[in-house]
Amino acid sequence: MTELRSADFAAALDAADPLSALRAEFHLPRHGDGEQAYFVGNSLGLQPRGARAHVEEVLDQWSRIAVEGHFRGPAQWMTYHELVAQPLASVVGAEPAEVVAMNSLTANLHLLMVSFYRPTAERPAILIEAGAFPSDRHAVTSQIRFHGFDPDIDLIEVEPDLPGGTLSMAAIAGAIQRHGPRLALVLWPGVQYRTGQAFDLAEIARLGHAAGAVVGFDLAHAVGNLPLHLHDANADFAVWCHYKYLNSGPGAVAGAFVHARHAHTDRPRFAGWWGHEKATRFRMGPEFVPTPGAEGWQLSNPPILGLAPLRASLDLFARTGMAALRARSERLTGYLEALVCNHLDDALEIVTPGDPAQRGCQLSLRVRAGRDAGRALFDHLAADGVLGDWREPDVIRISPAPLYNSHADVLRFACSALAWREGHQPGAAR
Ligand SMILES: Cc1ncc(COP(=O)(O)O)c(C=O)c1O
C-alpha cells in the first residue's frame, strides 16, 4: 500500500502511458515556480495551446478582409460551425447532421424544450433527478409554468435511494413507470454534477419512450468525459456545454443533439434565419423553411471568435479518440480512488459510485468531519497548488482529466490531503 504513495510509482505509471504526452498540449496554471495540480476540468477545462492560433486566425481575417471573411478561405465564417460538426459528432457518438454548436447550454435546453416538451392536460409532467443543477431546474419549472401548468404538481424529482445520494436504476425505472401516463418529458443528466454518478442513457431512453414520454439529456458533465453513443442511445435531444471537458474556454459556444428521426420534424420551434434552409437563406424570403437536422434549431449567425477554441480542442479529441481517453481516465480515477480508500478513508467518503461504469473521471469526496473541516482542507489544498472545487455543504470534487492530468497530480492531491489530516487529526496518520 505504501507503494501507491511513492512518487516513483506515480512517475512510472505516467511514463508507461503514451497519452501522458497530451499534457504538453495545454497551458497548465502556475503555482509558485511549478504547475498547479488542476482538477477542475468539471468546471472549466484548461486552454489548449492550439486555441490561440485559431482565435488569431479569425482576428487576422477580420482585420485584413473584414466582411469578406464570411466567404473566403477554408475557415470562412459562413460555414464555420460546420467545421466542428464531424469531430463533435465523433465525441458524442452521433451523425454530423445530428449535432450543432450554438448558443449556451441553458438557452439550448429551452429551445429544444420548445419543440420536445409539448405538455397536454393528460401528460403535463417532466421527470428529472432530485438535486439537479439549478439552471436545469429553473428551465424546466419555467417551461411548465409557461405552458400553464404547476411545477409543484408537474415537476417530478426522483429522490436518491442509495448511500451518498446516488440513484439505483430500479429507482429511476420505478419512477418512470409510476408516473408514466403523466410524463411528457424525461430530462436526465449523463453524469450528475454533484455526485459524479454516470447513468445508462440508452436504458433511460428506452424506459422513457416505453412510458410514452420524450427523452432529453443534459450532458454538461458527460461530454468529453465518457464515450457517448447518442444516436444509438436513441434520446430525442441532448444539450451540453464546451467549457468543461471540451476545453473551449469560459462561456464557450455550447452543443446540441437532435436525433436523426426528427431531422424533418414539423414540431413547433422558435426559429431564426440561421436555421433556415441553406440554399435559400439569402433570398431573404418571409417564410421559414428549416434546415434538416440539428442545424435547423440555430437562431443567429454564430459567434466565430467563441467557436474558434473549440476547433483546437476537437483536434486533440480527433487525434486521441474517446476510447483511449476513457481507458486513461479509468486508470487515473482508479488511482485516486485507491489512494483515498487506502490512506484517507477516515477523513473522506467517496460519494461517487465505485463501479467505473457508473462514473466519469470525477470523484466527489465528502469530508467526514463536516463543513468547517472541509473548507479548511479545501483551502489547504489550494495553498498547496492542488485545485479541486467545493460543493456545499461538505463535498470536494476532484476530476482528473485524462487529457492533461497525470498520476503525479493525483498523488499530489493525496499527499497534500494526508499532510492536512496529520496536522489536524493527530494520531490519525497511517
Ligand atoms: C449540469 C449543468 N446544467 C446546466 C449548466 C448551466 O450551463 P450554462 O451556464 O452554460 O447554461 C451547467 C453549468 O455548469 C451544468 O453543469
Side-chain angles (χ1 to χ4, degrees), residues 82-384:
E82 294 174 16
L83 296 172
V84 300
Q86 171 66 61
L88 192 52
S90 298
V91 170
V92 299
E95 297 168 1
E98 290 177 315
V99 301
V100 63
M102 60 179 188
N103 312 315
S104 58
L105 188 161
T106 309
N108 288 342
L109 183 54
H110 274 299
L111 287 174
L112 291 176
M113 280 199 284
V114 165
S115 298
F116 292 103
Y117 172 53
R118 307 296 305 158
T120 61
E122 297 73 35
R123 265 187 194 277
I126 300 180
L127 183 134
I128 62 173
E129 91 277 22
F133 194 86
S135 200
D136 296 37
R137 199 173 187 284
H138 301 329
V140 295
T141 49
S142 59
Q143 287 270 342
I144 290 170
R145 279 198 195 96
F146 177 75
H147 286 281
F149 295 97
D150 179 356
D152 285 344
I153 300 166
D154 297 320
L155 177 62
I156 297 159
E157 297 173 275
V158 187
E159 292 293 337
D161 63 327
L162 296 176
T166 54
L167 272 152
S168 68
M169 202 57 189
I172 302 167
I176 292 177
Q177 215 166 29
R178 214 165 32 258
H179 299 283
R182 298 192 68 249
L183 288 184
L185 172 66
V186 173
L187 179 68
W188 207 258
V191 173
Q192 216 282 341
Y193 83 101
R194 190 185 294 270
T195 64
Q197 182 177 15
F199 296 95
D200 181 343
L201 296 181
E203 179 61 4
I204 289 169
R206 191 189 68 74
L207 290 164
H209 289 152
V214 167
V215 178
F217 296 136
D218 177 342
L219 304 174
H221 289 261
V223 68
N225 180 9
L226 287 168
L228 295 167
H229 308 283
L230 276 186
H231 178 85
D232 292 341
N234 211 24
D236 296 282
F237 72 91
V239 293
W240 60 87
C241 53
H242 289 133
Y243 43 76
K244 299 180 190 291
Y245 300 108
L246 260 292
N247 309 307
S248 299
V253 177
F257 162 92
V258 178
H259 197 279
R261 68 178 171 281
H262 300 301
H264 299 274
T265 185
D266 55 7
R267 283 170 178 268
R269 73 179 90 193
F270 284 174
W273 74 314
W274 222 253
H276 187 91
E277 182 185 61
K278 289 180 204 175
T280 57
R281 186 193 291 150
F282 282 91
R283 287 189 202 153
M284 301 303 210
E287 296 302 327
F288 177 74
V289 180
T291 300
E295 284 190 44
W297 273 265
Q298 294 172 107
L299 299 180
S300 306
N301 75 103
I304 304 298
L305 284 166
L307 272 175
L310 178 59
R311 293 183 63 203
S313 173
L314 287 171
D315 286 349
L316 296 175
F317 280 90
R319 255 169 56 189
T320 317
M322 278 310 300
L325 270 181
R326 173 61 179 160
R328 176 173 166 81
S329 174
E330 287 189 18
R331 290 193 291 275
L332 282 168
T333 298
Y335 182 46
L336 174 61
E337 179 181 40
L339 283 164
V340 172
C341 289
N342 286 293
H343 299 292
L344 287 158
D345 185 53
D346 55 357
L348 299 173
E349 175 199 359
I350 302 178
V351 166
T352 310
D355 173 9
Q358 288 186 62
R359 69 187 186 201
C361 67
Q362 169 184 324
L363 291 188
S364 301
L365 306 171
R366 197 180 67 78
V367 182
R368 294 188 193 275
R371 186 184 185 281
D372 291 350
R375 280 303 311 187
L377 169 57
F378 182 77
D379 293 344
H380 166 91
L381 289 166
D384 238 3

